[in-house]
Amino acid sequence: MSASSHGPTAWEGFWRDAPAGEGEVFWDAAPSLAVARHLPFFAEHFDPALPVIDLGCGNGTQTRFLAQRFPRAIGVDVSASAIDRARREDPARVAEYRQVDAADAEQVTALHEDVGEANVYVRGVLHQCAPEDRPRIVANIARLLGSRGRAFLVELSEDAKNVLMSLVQRPDGPPPKVRAIFSHGIAPAEMPDSAIPDLLAAHGLETAASGRLPLITTETRADGTRVEVPTNWLLARPRGA
């Protein structure tokens, strides 16, 4: 889960320093708790003949799940360290991984020219991005889709702020996984729930379906239950497609 955010340097530092191992990153839940829960909402809409791009793939946990269900899965991330880690954690090479800044039109155009039309899976990227980067990223997603691709986006909802603040304001301070995010200058920016549909519409994409699901994190509360963060999901397609 990283695209251009508050700068490639911030994400590079985060993934360089992140501990190795399952569950060491706040949002890096097992696919059964993440993309597998999203699959029923986009599977029938994604053209199975097209590749799927996991935009902001991080260490590729969700990409590898997608690679088992689509003929070609490509994880892209702005961080070289994230891509290196994704490749190391995928010794069987079930997926492909490329360093791409999703806000950079030239880099995304080169990816599109190589891959062709594609479906795009985006989990928790836009709310982490600087506001000025969001329109660029959505425009680049539209470029990747072409006329046949579809996009599935999952972003924190407005009320996610209360959950995150409850973690930050714990009496003993934020848990290490949350502290690591902020220590690298990465902070979720507030974004109204209407922002994503508006951005999609501004770049020739229409919302075909939407809903709410919690983002299940790797952090636990004192009672041992997982911390869940409210999110909105949207299925987008080129207007008129």
Side-chain angles (χ1 to χ4, degrees), residues 1-7 11 55-57 101-103 120-142 151-157 186-201 203 205 231-234 236:
M1 181 194 292
S2 50
S4 75
S5 186
H6 302 275
W11 281 113
L55 191 146
C57 69
D101 185 343
V120 180
Y121 176 77
V122 188
R123 175 176 171 259
V125 168
L126 291 173
H127 77 275
Q128 295 277 23
C129 296
E132 63 271 17
D133 279 343
R134 292 173 189 155
R136 301 186 188 111
I137 293 173
V138 173
N140 287 332
I141 289 172
F152 187 83
L153 303 94
V154 183
E155 295 294 338
L156 299 192
S157 62
I186 300 167
E190 291 187 46
M191 187 168 59
D193 289 346
S194 61
I196 303 302
D198 289 348
L199 277 171
L200 294 173
H203 293 89
L205 301 175
T231 69
N232 299 314
W233 63 261
L234 299 93

Side-chain angles (χ1 to χ4, degrees), residues 6-212:
H6 302 275
T9 302
W11 281 113
E12 181 61 25
F14 175 84
W15 282 111
R16 183 192 61 233
D17 298 339
E22 183 177 344
E24 293 295 332
V25 172
F26 181 68
W27 55 78
D28 190 34
S32 61
L33 301 176
V35 63
R37 304 182 78 220
H38 301 143
L39 185 66
F41 301 108
F42 67 78
E44 66 182 51
H45 300 277
F46 278 21
D47 185 336
L50 298 182
V52 59
I53 294 172
D54 182 8
L55 191 146
C57 69
N59 60 339
T61 300
Q62 315 307 321
T63 319
R64 291 186 282 280
F65 176 93
L66 291 167
Q68 297 169 13
R69 284 150 183 86
F70 293 89
R72 186 182 183 190
I74 303 146
V76 303
D77 201 280
V78 71
S79 166
S81 291
I83 293 300
D84 287 345
R85 183 175 296 203
R87 288 171 176 155
R88 289 197 305 271
E89 295 181 7
D90 185 8
R93 293 294 188 267
V94 299
E96 304 169 42
Y97 308 96
R98 304 187 189 187
Q99 184 183 3
V100 175
D101 185 343
D104 188 305
E106 185 175 342
Q107 292 183 32
V108 173
T109 297
L111 176 65
H112 177 58
E113 289 175 349
D114 181 48
V115 174
E117 294 181 321
N119 300 303
V120 180
Y121 176 77
V122 188
R123 175 176 171 259
V125 168
L126 291 173
H127 77 275
Q128 295 277 23
C129 296
E132 63 271 17
D133 279 343
R134 292 173 189 155
R136 301 186 188 111
I137 293 173
V138 173
N140 287 332
I141 289 172
R143 180 176 289 109
L144 292 169
L145 299 184
S147 62
R148 297 166 58 204
R150 302 291 184 266
F152 187 83
L153 303 94
V154 183
E155 295 294 338
L156 299 192
S157 62
E158 291 179 24
D159 48 356
K161 179 181 178 180
N162 295 330
V163 177
L164 297 175
M165 290 305 297
S166 71
L167 295 175
V168 172
Q169 296 174 350
R170 283 183 176 179
D172 54 349
K177 295 173 190 175
V178 175
R179 192 180 309 124
I181 299 170
F182 288 94
S183 69
H184 285 91
I186 300 167
E190 291 187 46
M191 187 168 59
D193 289 346
S194 61
I196 303 302
D198 289 348
L199 277 171
L200 294 173
H203 293 89
L205 301 175
E206 60 185 15
T207 301
S210 62
R212 290 173 63 88

